[in-house]
Amino acid sequence: MVEKAQEKALKELDEFGNQLLEKLNKKEAPSFQIPSRTRSNVEFDEEKEIIDITGKKSTRSFINASHVRKFMQTLLVARAAEEYIKNNRTVSKRELYYNLKHKLPGTNKNTWDDDNESSAVIDDLEATLGIVRQQMNVSAKSRGSIYGDITLKQAGDEFSCKKLGKGGWAIPGNVEDVEIVDYNAELILFIETEAMHSRLVEEGSYDDLDALLVTGQGMAPRGVKRFLKRLQDETDLPLIAFTDGDPYGFYIYSVLKHGSMQLAHVNDYYAVPNSKFVGMTMDDIDKYDLHNVTENLDEQARKKIEHNLNYEWFKYHPEWIKEMKKMRKKGVRIEQQALANKSLDFVAKTYLPEKIENEEFLP
Amino acid sequence: MPKNQQFKEFQEHSVAEFFKKNRQMLGYSGKIKSLTTVVHEYVTNMIDAVEEEEDNLPEAFVKIEEMGPEHYKVIVEDNGPGIPENYIGKAFGQMLAGTKFHRFMQQRGQQGIGAAGAVMFGQVTTGKPTKIITGQGDGKILECELSIDVKKNRASINNKKTYSGEMKGTRIETELKNVLYQKGRYGIDEYLRRTVLANPHLKLTYVDPEGKTIIYDRAVDDIPPKPKEAKPHPRGVTVDDLLGYALRSNSHKIKSFLRNDFTRISGKKVKEIQKKISFDLNKMPKDLRWDEAEELVQTFKETDFMRPPTDVLVPIGKKRLEKAVEEQLEPEFKQVVERKPKVYRGGVPFIVETALAYGGKAGNNNGDNEIEIMRFSNRVPLLFNKGTCAITKAVKSVDWDRYGIKDNTPVTILVNFTSIHVPYIGAGKKSIAEEEEILNEIRLSLMKTGRKLGKYLKGKRRQRKRLQKKKTFEIYIPEISKSLSEITGKKEEEIKKHLQSIVKQRFSDIKEDE
């Protein structure tokens, strides 16, 4: 059974192969174009409000000595992806690496020597074909989970994410074949830490807030990001992020909203530009009198603030800049769990309902 | 005047005395060298003799037999015209009486001492005469023993036998003692190998003392043009030469001697010369004194003459030399340079030919780590006195490194110096004097060969790199073909062929001889 997302991948792979073949038939050296993924080719697209790559492309040609190996590797992965999709098998990056590692006929050379090579080729292929690896049945790491009143279907199984125990449904690396059957919620709440996620599940926030509680356990992996993107797209529920009040937490939010630089070529698939940020903010410290549970910023965190201040997509939001500057000035950070200082249910009964009700968000 | 005296004495010397006094100078020093010298004298004589005949390609047979310790027999046979009975003595028994001495013409031997010296050497070391068998292709064969009557300075011929049989050519057999056969750079093997190189129209069969036969086939089948006789040019003569010519002149006055026996001296020039010199040119040539000859030579130097004609020289020839090098050295790369005739000492024309061979059998035949230099003058290999020779000096003066040629690069350099008058150092005719013009010519031609080889080597290195690069494409073809075939459904073999032809086209500069 081939899903819709995979169908697109198959079509793209097919086109990719035929395009090469066409050149061959014209007795030209086969080549293809890869949108450049170098940092200098990454920019913030203010219209789409995502981090994107510019139009710059580089050509990878069979007859270029410094390209030919990668050319071979790209075809190797393209061929394998087609096979994975057709056989309905999903592999991890590491599996793909081992699966396709072998000696080139008649030589001592390997198709690749380490998984940096295979990873780079997967990224290239994503950029070239304009699809994500999951569509080629190469899954990302599975980490993170969702809890709430939503019924999903995968591989023929239908399940409610409220009836899978306290942990909810573990979001797999590949969510392309996940179908949203039904849901009963007002918003999607992305929670940075797993501990806070558990707390909110235990406190029944999914009911109180009518929220789908999603955690990525730190920086959200591709699976979670893709799932959030699909969820938001298909339900049109607001996505609200709840992270630690530090430069890392805020960066995690920025990735959720505008995408990451590493995945600039596929941010369309991941970024949710209309998401909002509920906290923690520097103002929360004063408002909820959390001064005694802040922690001092260390050198690294200060550097991270400076980095954040320099990103175009941070500058795009004066509020973000203001927040970072406040943080810098205060010299402290505040964790989500510091709210437990008030009481364990403070976050669920007071903090979140208040802020969400009053729409105290950062853009 | 003492020089003049010397010259006269020189003529009066008996062969034996001359030989004894000049033995070393004539090449008979050292056991290995002496043996090589004998072979050299016979072989050069032989080729010159065969070439005297029209339409005859020289074919030679050389055999060295070991008779005992330091005791050998040298046998040289040719397919030349044969020698009439009454000329045998002159041809082999008399020094300075060979046909060559009176001719101003490019020949291998130059002074006519050669064969007689060899006969003499055999006689001195073994007491035995030299055996001569000769036939002129008229059904008669003459066999005799030739020795030199040292007192009368004459050849004596004994045990003459005439019998009928088919033979055209001459066979000489000389026994020698106090000589040693050895392989290596001074040995006969090397001498003959080089002779064949410089005489690509020669077929040579050689049987060494161990009975091993080597046949050197002709590299070319055409007979080289005969060198023309040419009168000496006034700028090219030494005082010695001038006196020698004067003595043999038929003219009654020096005036006419100059006009008749030299090239580029016209009546007008004679008048010009007369004005510059202190004695009367109407005197008899044979009365020319040493100091007068000196004055004349000096005046020649101060007078303008037309350059001598250079068409009298016959080099090996570019194509012939190329073929010879190809045949004998089977090199990977060769470059032959033939320069235009030039003149040294203002009057002696010469031509330098250079060949450079790389790879194959070229280079380092004697195990020493340096460029192999083969020196030739008028196609005669020069094996000895390497250090003093202009050719060696020219080779050493070139910065071979610049062309990527290192000491261990397998390179053979062949230089043939062609002239009517070769400026040998000493009568041994083993090395060429370092005349500036000669040195320059050799240097220039060597540099050209060096440049060409350098270019070739560079190309080769590039080629190697290109080949490696080509491989980097080729090793990926099977994998790419397989993948692309599976994606598109196109036949794998077809894709492979396409890719291969793309690579081939891209590397069309690489020769397909891997």
Side-chain angles (χ1 to χ4, degrees):
Chain A
M1 183 191 69
V2 173
E3 304 288 332
K4 220 168 109 188
Q6 271 79 0
E7 261 170 40
K8 176 167 161 50
L10 281 182
K11 194 179 136 257
E12 293 292 342
L13 287 165
D14 209 44
E15 248 171 52
F16 174 69
N18 281 320
Q19 177 268 126
L20 295 174
L21 208 57
E22 234 170 78
K23 288 204 166 128
L24 259 189
N25 287 337
K26 282 191 277 179
K27 305 214 183 305
E28 282 171 24
S31 68
F32 56 87
Q33 302 236 303
I34 310 173
S36 167
R37 292 184 292 111
T38 56
R39 179 68 186 85
S40 64
N41 200 35
V42 169
E43 60 171 28
F44 182 63
D45 183 331
E46 295 192 3
E47 206 175 309
K48 284 172 24 186
E49 290 193 317
I50 63 161
I51 297 164
D52 205 349
I53 44 174
T54 64
K56 248 188 275 168
K57 288 182 177 189
S58 59
T59 297
R60 183 160 296 162
S61 167
F62 162 71
I63 204 70
N64 183 319
S66 51
H67 293 173
V68 61
R69 183 173 169 83
K70 276 211 162 174
F71 186 91
M72 174 278 292
Q73 292 169 341
T74 309
L75 274 161
L76 195 65
V77 173
R79 200 268 307 149
E82 201 181 58
E83 182 194 310
Y84 299 151
I85 295 170
K86 283 182 178 161
N87 296 338
N88 205 20
R89 278 235 156 73
T90 298
V91 300
S92 71
K93 255 167 67 175
R94 193 74 184 156
E95 275 181 318
L96 176 140
Y97 165 70
Y98 285 122
N99 185 220
L100 302 181
K101 180 172 183 173
H102 57 255
K103 293 251 182 290
L104 293 165
T107 72
N108 305 324
K109 280 202 168 160
N110 285 318
T111 47
W112 37 53
D113 293 320
D114 59 57
D115 68 354
N116 287 335
E117 284 191 281
S118 53
S119 295
V121 166
I122 294 169
D123 288 344
D124 285 346
L125 210 52
E126 282 185 328
T128 304
L129 305 183
I131 54 176
V132 291
R133 66 182 57 165
Q134 297 92 313
Q135 291 171 291
M136 296 184 269
N137 277 17
V138 179
S139 73
K141 274 201 185 83
S142 60
R143 199 175 67 205
S145 57
I146 175 170
Y147 193 99
D149 195 354
I150 184 168
T151 304
L152 303 174
K153 188 175 170 185
Q154 191 190 31
D157 294 330
E158 235 180 72
F159 50 89
S160 164
C161 294
K162 220 169 84 171
K163 292 176 180 163
L164 296 167
K166 277 186 174 182
W169 183 58
I171 300 168
N174 187 0
V175 297
E176 299 308 315
D177 59 345
V178 176
E179 218 180 300
I180 299 165
V181 181
D182 191 20
Y183 66 94
N184 178 22
E186 294 293 320
L187 62 97
I188 306 158
L189 187 66
F190 171 78
I191 303 141
E192 178 182 344
T193 64
E194 195 191 10
M196 179 53 75
H197 185 258
S198 302
R199 163 67 36 227
L200 295 178
V201 169
E202 204 169 286
E203 300 297 333
S205 292
Y206 50 91
D207 259 355
D208 294 348
L209 299 171
D210 281 326
L212 301 173
L213 306 175
V214 178
T215 180
Q217 291 168 293
M219 174 65 82
R222 287 171 181 237
V224 170
K225 283 191 289 186
R226 179 64 184 147
F227 183 67
L228 284 172
K229 172 71 175 171
R230 284 194 54 201
L231 201 54
Q232 208 278 324
D233 267 1
E234 290 169 38
T235 63
D236 210 22
L237 295 174
L239 171 58
I240 296 164
F242 178 31
T243 73
D244 284 342
D246 62 22
Y248 307 107
F250 214 90
Y251 188 76
I252 288 171
Y253 168 59
S254 80
V255 169
L256 214 60
K257 187 177 173 77
H258 297 310
S260 70
M261 290 180 281
Q262 291 89 326
L263 298 180
H265 58 290
V266 282
N267 274 340
D268 274 334
Y269 280 85
Y270 295 114
V272 184
N274 60 8
S275 43
K276 303 238 174 338
F277 182 77
V278 67
M280 308 287 291
T281 64
M282 289 295 109
D283 288 348
D284 289 341
I285 298 173
D286 300 326
K287 191 174 167 194
Y288 299 100
D289 187 23
L290 298 166
H291 297 97
N292 60 329
V293 285
T294 59
E295 280 181 42
N296 290 332
L297 291 173
D298 60 10
E299 195 51 40
Q300 232 183 328
R302 285 181 184 279
K303 269 190 196 154
K304 184 68 183 164
I305 291 176
E306 298 308 315
H307 279 139
N308 285 351
L309 282 168
N310 276 317
Y311 293 131
E312 294 161 67
W313 46 100
F314 271 69
K315 289 178 189 163
Y316 180 71
H317 303 287
E319 298 90 339
W320 291 19
I321 296 294
K322 225 160 124 189
E323 180 67 14
M324 285 300 111
K325 284 185 173 165
K326 269 186 203 164
M327 200 181 288
R328 186 166 66 183
K329 200 176 167 201
K330 275 187 189 290
V332 295
R333 54 190 287 260
I334 180 82
E335 286 184 10
Q336 293 178 310
Q337 290 171 88
L339 291 166
N341 183 250
K342 299 281 140 187
S343 71
L344 281 179
D345 60 2
F346 182 74
V347 59
K349 303 295 179 218
T350 311
Y351 179 81
L352 285 174
E354 250 182 54
K355 289 198 87 171
I356 291 170
E357 184 72 21
N358 300 333
E359 295 191 8
E360 278 178 51
F361 301 136
L362 288 178
Chain B
M1 228 156 354
K3 258 261 164 119
N4 196 10
Q5 210 56 39
Q6 215 177 35
F7 187 81
K8 282 191 172 151
E9 276 171 23
F10 178 73
Q11 283 215 311
E12 286 156 13
H13 273 314
S14 74
V15 170
E17 266 179 277
F18 181 83
F19 185 81
K20 258 187 230 158
K21 275 195 174 172
N22 299 289
R23 191 178 145 154
Q24 297 219 331
M25 204 176 73
L26 294 174
Y28 297 100
S29 63
K31 288 169 183 172
I32 300 164
K33 190 175 174 183
S34 296
L35 186 59
T36 304
T37 301
V38 169
V39 172
H40 154 74
E41 297 296 1
Y42 285 157
V43 168
T44 41
N45 258 30
M46 177 265 295
I47 305 174
D48 274 347
V50 178
E51 280 180 3
E52 284 282 298
E53 257 189 322
E54 301 283 343
D55 302 326
N56 194 8
L57 279 167
E59 192 170 333
F61 172 81
V62 175
K63 188 179 180 189
I64 313 296
E65 285 175 15
E66 190 169 0
M67 317 285 290
E70 299 189 0
H71 184 188
Y72 294 86
K73 186 195 265 183
V74 172
I75 300 162
V76 177
E77 188 173 333
D78 66 45
N79 64 336
I83 309 166
E85 193 180 328
N86 49 337
Y87 280 104
I88 289 176
K90 276 205 168 170
F92 293 105
Q94 230 165 315
M95 296 197 187
L96 306 173
T99 48
K100 293 167 196 165
F101 194 58
H102 299 294
R103 297 164 79 181
F104 202 70
M105 168 177 163
Q106 172 201 331
Q107 282 188 300
R108 289 179 179 77
Q110 212 174 36
Q111 290 154 351
I113 301 170
V119 172
M120 192 70 210
F121 183 74
Q123 191 173 318
V124 168
T125 55
T126 64
K128 288 186 182 170
T130 288
K131 190 185 213 176
I132 308 233
I133 305 166
T134 182
Q136 297 173 67
D138 54 2
K140 277 189 284 181
I141 297 173
L142 171 70
E143 194 180 312
C144 64
E145 285 175 358
L146 174 108
S147 52
I148 292 165
D149 185 330
V150 291
K151 280 178 192 146
K152 291 184 192 159
N153 187 18
R154 258 178 45 195
S156 81
I157 289 159
N158 303 302
N159 295 337
K160 225 183 327 180
K161 274 180 264 176
T162 311
Y163 45 92
S164 59
E166 272 317 307
M167 178 173 181
K168 185 178 159 292
T170 304
R171 179 183 173 103
I172 315 169
E173 297 180 8
T174 302
E175 274 187 48
L176 312 160
K177 275 189 179 171
N178 297 327
V179 292
L180 191 63
Y181 168 83
Q182 218 175 59
K183 293 190 197 294
R185 71 171 107 162
Y186 298 125
I188 292 164
D189 297 32
E190 186 61 23
Y191 177 84
L192 292 176
R193 186 172 82 101
R194 295 189 183 187
T195 300
V196 171
L197 258 170
N199 297 278
H201 60 306
L202 169 69
K203 184 186 173 183
L204 180 79
T205 305
Y206 166 54
V207 184
D208 74 10
E210 285 152 23
K212 210 181 99 195
T213 304
I214 302 173
I215 297 168
Y216 293 102
D217 263 323
R218 287 188 181 93
V220 299
D221 277 329
D222 55 332
I223 301 162
K226 264 187 173 177
K228 291 178 195 159
E229 283 203 51
K231 291 172 184 173
H233 188 275
R235 279 287 182 81
V237 291
T238 61
V239 180
D240 246 1
D241 295 333
L242 185 61
L243 284 166
Y245 300 144
L247 271 173
R248 288 192 302 272
S249 174
N250 299 322
S251 304
H252 296 293
K253 291 175 180 174
I254 292 178
K255 268 185 177 170
S256 45
F257 157 64
L258 291 179
R259 234 178 24 240
N260 295 336
D261 291 12
F262 286 86
T263 179
R264 308 300 196 215
I265 303 187
S266 57
K268 211 173 138 197
K269 282 282 162 207
V270 173
K271 277 179 196 152
E272 202 182 318
I273 292 163
Q274 179 65 80
K275 277 181 198 156
K276 290 179 183 170
I277 57 169
S278 58
F279 63 96
D280 189 358
L281 289 180
N282 283 315
K283 69 192 280 185
M284 295 271 284
K286 66 169 187 271
D287 293 335
L288 186 68
R289 295 204 317 263
W290 179 269
D291 57 334
E292 290 167 345
E294 266 180 344
E295 199 184 337
L296 257 180
V297 169
Q298 187 56 39
T299 310
F300 288 163
K301 281 190 188 144
E302 292 156 6
T303 308
D304 288 331
F305 295 100
M306 275 177 72
R307 306 220 112 197
T310 49
D311 60 349
V312 295
L313 299 178
V314 180
I316 300 170
K318 191 167 185 222
K319 284 211 176 109
R320 301 161 153 275
L321 189 51
E322 269 168 1
K323 282 200 174 148
V325 167
E326 191 68 61
E327 175 87 20
Q328 305 303 336
L329 297 176
E330 295 166 20
E332 188 186 314
F333 169 87
K334 61 176 190 301
Q335 178 65 40
V336 173
V337 173
E338 186 186 322
R339 303 268 308 170
K340 290 214 177 73
K342 290 273 153 61
V343 167
Y344 77 92
R345 282 186 202 157
V348 187
F350 71 97
I351 292 179
V352 166
E353 285 169 293
T354 310
L356 182 147
Y358 164 84
K361 294 180 185 168
N364 286 327
N365 275 309
N366 302 304
D368 37 48
N369 243 8
E370 53 181 29
I371 293 169
E372 183 182 45
I373 306 168
M374 293 190 178
R375 299 175 290 130
F376 296 86
S377 97
N378 290 336
R379 303 186 183 185
V380 175
L382 305 176
L383 293 189
F384 305 101
N385 302 7
K386 164 173 122 177
T388 57
C389 185
I391 294 175
T392 313
K393 290 193 173 165
V395 174
K396 303 260 181 210
S397 76
V398 173
D399 182 8
W400 295 101
D401 218 35
R402 266 183 59 191
Y403 310 120
I405 300 164
K406 310 258 180 270
D407 279 346
N408 55 3
T409 309
V411 163
T412 292
I413 284 166
L414 183 155
V415 178
N416 181 43
F417 178 83
T418 302
S419 180
I420 288 172
H421 181 80
V422 182
Y424 288 117
I425 299 173
K429 300 186 271 177
K430 303 301 178 207
S431 72
I432 299 167
E434 223 179 306
E435 297 284 344
E436 200 191 324
E437 296 91 339
I438 295 173
L439 208 64
N440 248 335
E441 274 299 291
I442 299 173
R443 229 179 101 78
L444 285 173
S445 55
L446 285 176
M447 278 158 68
K448 184 166 179 190
T449 61
R451 274 197 304 277
K452 297 277 178 175
L453 177 59
K455 211 170 154 195
Y456 172 77
L457 291 176
K458 212 168 144 190
K460 206 178 149 185
R461 278 193 296 273
R462 197 179 152 266
Q463 188 92 345
R464 212 178 295 135
K465 265 194 203 151
R466 294 280 289 160
L467 210 64
Q468 265 170 11
K469 204 170 171 190
K470 190 181 177 197
K471 280 233 171 74
T472 63
F473 289 105
E474 286 167 339
I475 60 170
Y476 293 116
I477 288 180
E479 199 65 52
I480 292 172
S481 309
K482 185 168 168 250
S483 296
L484 192 54
S485 161
E486 282 178 34
I487 295 171
T488 60
K490 178 109 174 168
K491 271 191 194 140
E492 190 178 331
E493 273 314 303
E494 236 169 284
I495 295 172
K496 204 181 264 179
K497 252 188 235 159
H498 273 307
L499 291 174
Q500 278 162 347
S501 81
I502 284 165
V503 171
K504 205 171 152 185
Q505 203 183 337
R506 170 70 190 274
F507 292 91
S508 55
D509 55 318
I510 296 178
K511 287 174 214 129
E512 289 290 322
D513 59 303
E514 310 152 43

